[in-house]
Amino acid sequence: MDYAIGWNRFNLSVLGVWPEPSKTTLRWRLTSASIFWTSTTVTFLFICAPQTTDLILHSTTLDEAIENLSINIPIVISLVKQLVLRYHGEALRLLLVEIVNDWTQTLPEPERLTMLKNAKMSRRLCFFCSTLAYIMMVAFISLQIYLNTANASEVDLGGLLHPATFPYDTKKSPYFEITWIGQFMGTVLTIISYSCFDTFFATFVLHLCGQLSVLQLNLKELAETAKRDVALFQNRLGFIVNRHNELYRFAIIIENCFNLMLLGQTLISTIMFCLTGYRLITSMGSHEEDVPIVGKAFFIIHVIYTMLHLYIYCYVGETLLVESTGIAFSAYDCEWYNLPPKKAMCLMIVICRARIAFQITIGKFSPLSLELFGAIMKTSAGYLSVLLAVKEDPMEE
């Protein structure tokens, strides 16, 4: 179990939103709450609010607005993700308790290997996304520091990591140092929040897929059980039906906790792909020498990173659809023709129920799937082409 969720535990504990499945002390709860409110306050006061103020007061052109939003929107989304994890802490704790119980049970070797396969995928996914997030953070901070050092005479960024407007002079010491450290801490925390929310969601869904795969193994062995003991067949079939209902409730809790945030993430990903793609293409196509390289690099990395996380959502959603409907195929593939007619009729009920797939939706509108990912990419590309066409052929006054 630690192998599957250990990396998520570390990242979420840094943010103060880890839903500890075991009994917790009052000291632990107070520490977690203190970390959570400190991290969210730092992010809001040093990045979100000042950047929004700068957008309203100083972003006079479309390019300036897009450059501001390309940084501010992901940070706001990260802050919202952190709040969502805290709000649904009790429900997520119940899901973790179920995961702990699944791993502590004594299982046959094939079932244990099936669970371990999904746990390895979860761990690799967490490690890859976290590593990519840290690389993006280091690249952005390094390039921003280099840019501020090379253009020491410019005052538009004020030497800070993010363009922002504060109610005090950030040029003076110690205000500059305090503000810079606050923005640095906020950047690190938002990067962690943006990444670990998605990997935490993927861990739950992949564990659910692993349990559905175990259930498929049990169904395939059901006919062999009937040959040895008819009463044992009834017990095993009852266990499979009850376990299928438990997994359905597990999927419902995931849906209730994450569906609204998934809707927001999908809409924001579509918008960000259009805006950042527009800014990147227009800056590369122009002959402006003052376009900062950090903007181009950050736009490219951010588009790839955003689309990658959106793909992860759709991939695990597609996997859940396949595994849940696979229950029906497993019931059909077992040797039902060797069973007594009344026993075989029981499998028909299982097949009819399993044809209704488990789904994780975006705001109750559409299930996550690879087909949805393709539709989002096509829509985003279409909107991007419209923006470029409007720029190349502006309307006459």
Side-chain angles (χ1 to χ4, degrees), residues 25-158:
T25 62
L26 177 61
R27 180 180 179 182
W28 184 92
R29 292 194 295 270
L30 290 176
T31 303
S32 177
S34 300
I35 294 173
F36 167 76
W37 289 112
T38 300
S39 61
T40 53
T41 301
V42 167
T43 303
F44 179 78
L45 292 181
F46 285 97
I47 301 181
C48 294
Q51 276 198 321
T52 303
T53 304
D54 186 77
L55 174 66
I56 297 173
L57 298 180
H58 300 125
S59 297
T60 57
T61 65
L62 179 61
D63 290 347
E64 291 176 352
I66 291 177
E67 187 172 357
N68 183 293
L69 291 174
S70 65
I71 301 174
N72 196 16
I73 289 179
I75 291 177
V76 172
I77 290 297
S78 298
L79 190 61
V80 173
K81 287 181 177 181
Q82 196 171 346
L83 294 172
V84 169
L85 290 175
R86 185 73 180 184
Y87 179 78
H88 292 293
E90 182 60 27
L92 297 177
R93 188 189 68 81
L94 296 177
L95 294 181
L96 286 175
V97 170
E98 292 292 331
I99 293 177
V100 172
N101 293 336
D102 292 338
W103 280 102
T104 53
Q105 292 180 359
T106 302
L107 298 174
E109 189 64 20
E111 297 180 9
R112 177 71 63 172
L113 291 176
T114 300
M115 293 177 59
L116 188 60
K117 177 182 177 181
N118 285 272
K120 288 181 178 179
M121 183 181 297
S122 300
R123 184 178 178 85
R124 291 170 183 170
L125 191 63
C126 294
F127 182 77
F128 176 76
C129 291
S130 299
T131 302
L132 184 60
Y134 295 144
I135 291 174
M136 184 176 68
M137 178 190 67
V138 172
F140 173 74
I141 294 176
S142 301
L143 289 171
Q144 195 72 314
I145 292 174
Y146 172 79
L147 183 67
N148 292 333
T149 304
N151 302 282
S153 61
E154 296 184 4
V155 296
D156 56 338
L157 293 179

Side-chain angles (χ1 to χ4, degrees), residues 112-257:
R112 177 71 63 172
L113 291 176
T114 300
M115 293 177 59
L116 188 60
K117 177 182 177 181
N118 285 272
K120 288 181 178 179
M121 183 181 297
S122 300
R123 184 178 178 85
R124 291 170 183 170
L125 191 63
C126 294
F127 182 77
F128 176 76
C129 291
S130 299
T131 302
L132 184 60
Y134 295 144
I135 291 174
M136 184 176 68
M137 178 190 67
V138 172
F140 173 74
I141 294 176
S142 301
L143 289 171
Q144 195 72 314
I145 292 174
Y146 172 79
L147 183 67
N148 292 333
T149 304
N151 302 282
S153 61
E154 296 184 4
V155 296
D156 56 338
L157 293 179
L160 301 177
L161 287 177
H162 304 283
T165 300
F166 291 88
Y168 53 85
D169 188 2
T170 58
K171 296 294 184 180
K172 296 181 180 179
S173 181
Y175 299 118
F176 171 77
E177 289 80 1
I178 295 174
T179 305
W180 197 95
I181 293 174
Q183 287 195 337
F184 175 80
M185 292 177 59
T187 302
V188 174
L189 292 171
T190 52
I191 284 291
I192 295 175
S193 177
Y194 195 98
S195 175
C196 69
F197 178 93
D198 300 341
T199 56
F200 199 39
F201 164 75
T203 298
F204 283 131
V205 178
L206 289 176
H207 177 79
L208 177 59
C209 293
Q211 294 304 304
L212 290 170
S213 298
V214 170
L215 210 58
Q216 293 178 31
L217 295 177
N218 292 332
L219 269 172
K220 291 179 180 179
E221 298 173 356
L222 196 59
E224 294 294 331
T225 303
K227 294 179 181 178
R228 298 191 301 268
D229 190 345
V230 177
L232 182 59
F233 171 85
Q234 290 293 122
N235 292 334
R236 293 298 299 171
L237 182 60
F239 166 78
I240 290 173
V241 172
N242 290 330
R243 182 57 178 164
H244 190 262
N245 288 330
E246 291 175 359
L247 295 179
Y248 178 74
R249 289 193 291 269
F250 191 96
I252 290 297
I253 296 176
I254 298 176
E255 162 77 5
N256 293 335
C257 291

